[in-house]
Amino acid sequence: MSGNVAAGKRNLATYLPAVIAGVLIVFLWVVHLSSVDIPVIKGIAFVVALVSLGYSFINMLVRDIRRTYVDPIGERASVLGVMVVETILLFAVTYLTVSQVPDQIVGLQTPLDSVYFTMTTLMTIGFGDVAAQGQWARGLVLVQMLFSLLVLTSA
């Protein structure tokens, strides 16, 4: 019985941060669509979602190294895929929000543009049609680059 409780706690540690990040991403999209401008709330939601995703990725990596997973590899791969999509959506909604500030991101006008910019940054392609010009936008792009380098590539 205690083994099942321990396995349940491990599952919770694996999946809960990804669920928290997903809820926060939906919250950010809803706030963006409602045109409510509360930068502090948006910033806190972004940071908490990013930390949650980072924790999930690192937790999976450490557990893979230690080989302490009781979950099947297919289940972990599914969760990893969801977290990658969540990462893309998190940065996309954040870029969309930052683009509303004048002179921050040039060429980004629609949600599709924000996903496109996120993917070109993630893939290190950088066509140049959408570009971070302001300091806030460049800082955010650096955060995405570091997050992608440290977390996504190690997972």
Side-chain angles (χ1 to χ4, degrees):
M1 182 68 149
S2 66
N4 289 338
V5 171
K9 286 182 182 179
R10 280 195 296 264
N11 285 343
L12 185 63
T14 301
Y15 305 126
L16 184 62
V19 170
I20 290 170
V23 168
L24 288 170
I25 292 165
V26 169
F27 169 77
L28 285 169
W29 274 108
V30 169
V31 168
H32 175 74
L33 293 174
S34 69
S35 300
V36 174
D37 191 25
I38 310 171
V40 172
I41 299 296
K42 290 178 182 178
I44 290 171
F46 171 77
V47 169
V48 172
L50 189 64
V51 168
S52 296
L53 283 172
Y55 173 80
S56 292
F57 283 117
I58 292 169
N59 183 34
M60 290 181 97
L61 176 66
V62 168
R63 291 177 70 191
D64 272 342
I65 291 169
R66 292 182 182 166
R67 296 185 184 356
T68 58
Y69 267 110
V70 294
D71 311 320
I73 187 72
E75 189 174 325
R76 291 192 328 248
S78 298
V79 171
L80 183 62
V82 167
M83 289 189 305
V84 168
V85 170
E86 285 179 343
T87 300
I88 292 165
L89 291 176
L90 175 63
F91 280 102
V93 72
T94 306
Y95 287 137
L96 192 59
T97 301
V98 170
S99 72
Q100 294 174 341
V101 177
D103 299 325
Q104 288 297 315
I105 301 178
V106 176
L108 197 147
Q109 298 171 351
T110 67
L112 183 59
D113 289 344
S114 66
V115 172
Y116 167 81
F117 182 62
T118 302
M119 289 302 297
T120 58
T121 303
L122 177 67
M123 302 291 194
T124 67
I125 296 171
F127 293 115
D129 52 342
V130 179
Q133 279 191 332
Q135 295 301 302
W136 282 102
R138 288 180 179 181
L140 182 59
V141 169
L142 286 173
V143 169
Q144 183 190 352
M145 288 176 184
L146 285 172
F147 188 82
S148 299
L149 178 69
L150 298 175
V151 177
L152 294 179
T153 57
S154 64

